[in-house]
């Protein structure tokens, strides 16, 4: 059964990629707030990559056909804005503890992370190709910068959501300096 195989592949991806992300996070010199930023984008990418690359086979339209995803993807700008708000609070020190982070992310239920990551990866894929997607999957700190570059190239009448460059730059630098 293809659905069973797809579900197994999706979950196997989580197992392997989760281990990779954990090792990467542990290898970086992260402050407490940087660790939370890394965990947040890692959650977006873990769910998004399993969903977009495996379950949807790089076709966001396939996810749109499923109500459990469509209800989130139809609010794409809101998903991205919420992500920016959480990242901004982490960068600005408004969220600095795991308890504060958990409270900020508490409402991000259901397929929120799956849909947010899938949307971002589909835009990167459409405007940068699979190589750029895999670069982001390999280093989650590049997610916002690469998304912004791809979104700026969108051929659309609607203005795409672009993350604050300060947030993108801060995320890209996570772990580059020893914790104080």
């Amino acid at each position: 059964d293809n659905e069973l195989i797809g579900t197994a592949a999706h979950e196997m991806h989580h197992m392997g990629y989760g281990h990779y992300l954990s090792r990467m996070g542990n290898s970086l010199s992260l402050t407490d707030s940087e660790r939370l930023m890394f965990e947040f984008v890692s959650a977006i990418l873990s769910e998004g990559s399993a969903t977009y690359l495996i379950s949807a086979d790089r076709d966001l339209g396939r996810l749109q056909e499923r109500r459990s995803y469509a209800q989130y993807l139809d609010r794409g700008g809101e998903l991205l804005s919420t992500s920016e708000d959480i990242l901004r609070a982490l960068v600005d020190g408004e969220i600095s503890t795991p308890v504060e982070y958990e409270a900020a992310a508490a409402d991000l239920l259901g397929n929120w992370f799956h849909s947010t990551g899938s949307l971002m990866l589909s835009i990167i894929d459409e405007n940068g190709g699979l190589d750029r997607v895999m670069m982001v999957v390999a280093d989650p700190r590049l997610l916002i910068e690469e998304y912004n570059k791809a979104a700026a190239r969108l051929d659309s009448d609607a203005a795409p959501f672009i993350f604050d460059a300060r947030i993108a730059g801060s995320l890209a630098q996570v772990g580059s300096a020893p914790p104080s």
Side-chain angles (χ1 to χ4, degrees):
D1 178 49
N2 285 342
E3 189 171 337
L4 180 61
I5 292 169
T7 299
H10 180 111
E11 296 307 323
M12 292 295 289
H13 170 80
H14 283 311
M15 291 173 61
Y17 190 48
H19 180 72
Y20 169 81
L21 290 171
S22 178
R23 287 185 57 184
M24 181 181 191
N26 289 336
S27 74
L28 298 170
S29 296
L30 300 172
T31 65
D32 291 342
S33 62
E34 286 177 337
R35 182 161 305 283
L36 295 172
M37 287 177 69
F38 186 80
E39 288 177 10
F40 183 67
V41 295
S42 292
I44 290 172
L45 277 173
S46 179
E47 296 297 351
S49 61
T51 304
Y52 178 69
L53 296 172
I54 297 169
S55 300
D57 196 26
R58 295 175 61 201
D59 182 357
L60 199 63
R62 286 177 67 181
L63 293 180
Q64 283 283 12
E65 293 170 1
R66 297 170 65 181
R67 196 177 57 122
S68 60
Y69 293 106
Q71 66 182 336
Y72 293 95
L73 292 170
D74 289 345
R75 302 184 339 254
E78 184 182 321
L79 299 176
L80 300 174
S81 178
T82 298
S83 299
E84 182 180 59
D85 290 344
I86 290 173
L87 289 167
R88 179 180 290 114
L90 286 161
V91 168
D92 293 344
E94 296 166 17
I95 297 173
S96 60
T97 67
V99 171
E100 292 169 338
Y101 169 74
E102 292 295 328
D107 291 335
L108 310 181
L109 304 172
N111 286 327
W112 190 94
F113 284 100
H114 303 72
S115 299
T116 301
S118 293
L119 176 61
M120 294 179 80
L121 290 175
S122 73
I123 290 171
I124 294 169
D125 194 12
E126 180 182 335
N127 295 287
L130 184 58
D131 288 344
R132 300 310 270 192
V133 168
M134 296 313 293
M135 183 178 74
V136 168
V137 169
D139 190 347
R141 298 172 298 174
L142 303 176
L143 175 62
I144 305 302
E145 282 187 344
E146 289 300 317
Y147 165 83
N148 276 355
K149 288 177 193 174
R153 291 191 299 269
L154 276 176
D155 185 22
S156 170
D157 293 335
F161 182 91
I162 302 290
F163 285 83
D164 182 312
R166 181 178 66 90
I167 293 168
S170 293
L171 178 60
Q173 295 301 313
V174 160
S176 62
S180 50

